[in-house]
Amino acid sequence: MEKNEDIIKSLKMYNQEHIIKLLEKLDEQKKTDLLEQLNDIDFHQIMELYENTKKTIEIKENKIEKIAYLDKAKLTKNEKEHFMELGEQVIVSGKYAVVTMAGGQGTRLGHLGPKGTFKLDVYGKGKYLFEILAENLKESNKKYNTIIPWYIMTSKENHKETKEFLEKNNFFGYDKNSVKLFRQGELPLIDIHGKMLIGKNLKVKEASDGNGGVFSSLRTTGMLADMKQKGIKWIFIGSVDNAILKMVDITLLGMAIDRNVQVASKSVIKANPEERVGVFCKMNGHPKVIEYTELPEKMAEEVTNNGELKFGESHIMCNLFTIDAIEKISKEPLIYHSAFKKNPYIDENGKEVIPTEANSYKFEAFIFDSFELFDDIAILRGKREDDFAPVKNKDGVDSPKTAKELYEKYWERQKIKI
Ligand code: UTP
């Protein structure tokens, strides 16, 4: 009882009176459910996140420099062989695991259901994004005579559907016992006045806390312990929506081992200064990815002596971490960025509102904000046509149409190589 009064007090203090009104209208069971949820919400954190949406990020005071990278296409034969040998040893000795981040909302694509259940229209018959990933991993398993443990991060929102989908499709032939699903954390969505949205279930509407949530959720869900128990040393963490993502790149892995770093990442050249991608740099001496929204135009256009963009290595969600790095990051709070998105909600009269324009903030931690916790990371420049076919937007750039083309062309080239 006392606890409930405290919640009401907090709701008043933090400008959430609409929820008090809602509580008054609910039946006992629904009221208890909502109060239970509210008890777990950190109102102060939500208020701080809201205040931060009003601030612009100043990067001027920071010292930003170009970051070093190696170009995969320009490695010497010896270098390449050495890296590949080092990388291969890790895979064949069963010390490698893959994490797929599949907890996103996929709002830009607008597909109903988890993004991994989206069918890319390749080769007439089509393939689901999860199917493409499973096929790629199975191929590596065959090549290295192993079974790579595969961890899939879902959100509370899409967990059930993802699980059912994978089970229904028999994990696309992947060894079931080597696949583990885990849920990421969530944060409330708030409107432009800082009020938490209410969902159809008459509870506060929450959404996954960004792909940076992967580290803490790996730990809190016991996946990190599971990896340790299996003797895993290196973990690849990638997205669900890149149709030609290389989850097992022994050159990247070997390079990381050779450079004695805890984190490595694959990049591709930024197509032009305006491309909407995050780019690698060093900020105040530490590796970092600056989002396109945060990189001043002048810097985005800067070129080096050899005519390349100074900040031209794009981050493509193709990252490797040692298990120690994950453990370390999982205990550090990453900053939250806000994204202004379209989110349906229930209004004060109990009616569902489906907005036609963005109406609310979602708070997300980004996986790459973890890089600055390290002195250095290794970056390997890949090739766009070999490494990056993202499915982000419904049409236009980075859409199913462009990804299909890239996917088919890539596999066409592989056939010719064989
Ligand atoms: P994006 O940041 O592109 O988000 O995710 P998204 O959900 O796919 O698409 P939009 O922005 O809503 O249109 C990059 C990768 O990170 C995962 C996504 O599933 C994708 O693999 N992700 C994103 C999560 O796992 N959790 C999150 O909270 C956000």
Side-chain angles (χ1 to χ4, degrees), residues 266-281:
K266 175 90 67 68
S267 67
V268 300
I269 305 177
K270 191 176 178 184
N272 54 59
E274 293 79 40
E275 197 189 3
R276 294 152 76 97
V277 287
V279 288
F280 286 97
C281 70

Side-chain angles (χ1 to χ4, degrees), residues 100-110 115-116 153-155 158 184-185 207-214 238-242 291 317 339 341 362-367 391-393:
T100 296
M101 299 181 296
Q105 287 183 302
T107 44
R108 286 169 288 170
L109 184 64
K115 217 183 204 181
M153 181 167 84
T154 62
S155 63
N158 75 18
Q184 70 174 111
S208 37
D209 57 1
N211 53 51
V214 67
S239 56
V240 71
D241 55 7
N242 174 359
E291 270 291 55
M317 293 275 172
K341 297 193 174 193
K362 177 184 186 224
F363 298 101
E364 298 184 299
F366 292 159
I367 188 166
V391 182
K392 295 285 177 197
N393 306 309

